[in-house]
Amino acid sequence: EVGPPVIDKPIIEYNVVKEITPPAIMISPEVMPAFPGGEAALFRYLQSNINYPYSAKENGIKGTVVVGFVIDVTGKPVMLTILKGIRGGKDLEAEALRVIANMPPWSIGLQNNKPVAVQYNIPVRFDLR
């Protein structure tokens, strides 16, 4: 009677990968990331790119959505989250996220001359004027 084969060494050798710790997310590094053209350009970008959702307009839903996000070491907005929503305003929240996710790349944040990820919060106001 033959038993299961005996294997001396594992067939696959695994390389131990040291866990990579993500870079810390900073709030106020020495050099802050900046939207191309500055804060005024950022607000112009938001105003010209936000499409007020029809459903929210129809139902008279308005208010301010606060979006939190991180400008990563390449200048892209990542880790978007709704910090403050609007009751009944899921469409407004989705639109705020869409517009911020599609922002052009920012200049990068620096700490000790090294790129760092930086936390941002932006209020996006939806007003039915």
Side-chain angles (χ1 to χ4, degrees):
E1 187 173 313
V2 178
V6 175
I7 300 172
D8 292 338
K9 295 199 294 224
I11 297 167
I12 302 167
E13 290 188 17
Y14 295 97
N15 290 325
V16 178
V17 177
K18 199 169 74 189
E19 200 172 304
I20 298 167
T21 53
I25 295 170
M26 302 196 71
I27 293 167
S28 56
E30 294 163 352
V31 177
M32 290 293 284
F35 186 84
E39 206 167 278
L42 170 60
F43 289 107
R44 278 195 305 276
Y45 165 83
L46 292 173
Q47 280 178 325
S48 59
N49 287 280
I50 285 190
N51 301 314
Y52 210 114
Y54 180 75
S55 59
K57 238 183 223 178
E58 282 288 285
N59 295 306
I61 299 170
K62 61 184 182 176
T64 301
V65 175
V66 179
V67 179
F69 59 98
V70 171
I71 294 297
D72 73 9
V73 295
T74 68
K76 288 189 180 65
V78 297
M79 296 170 56
L80 281 71
T81 182
I82 298 292
L83 299 176
K84 177 184 171 287
I86 298 170
R87 184 188 305 271
K90 287 283 176 230
D91 292 349
L92 298 179
E93 294 167 11
E95 179 60 8
L97 288 172
R98 182 194 70 80
V99 170
I100 288 178
N102 289 315
M103 286 191 292
W106 291 38
S107 66
I108 58 173
L110 297 172
Q111 183 71 24
N112 300 324
N113 282 333
K114 289 186 174 66
V116 290
V118 181
Q119 172 70 46
Y120 266 87
N121 302 334
I122 289 185
V124 180
R125 190 150 42 111
F126 290 89
D127 204 348
L128 289 165
R129 274 187 271 151

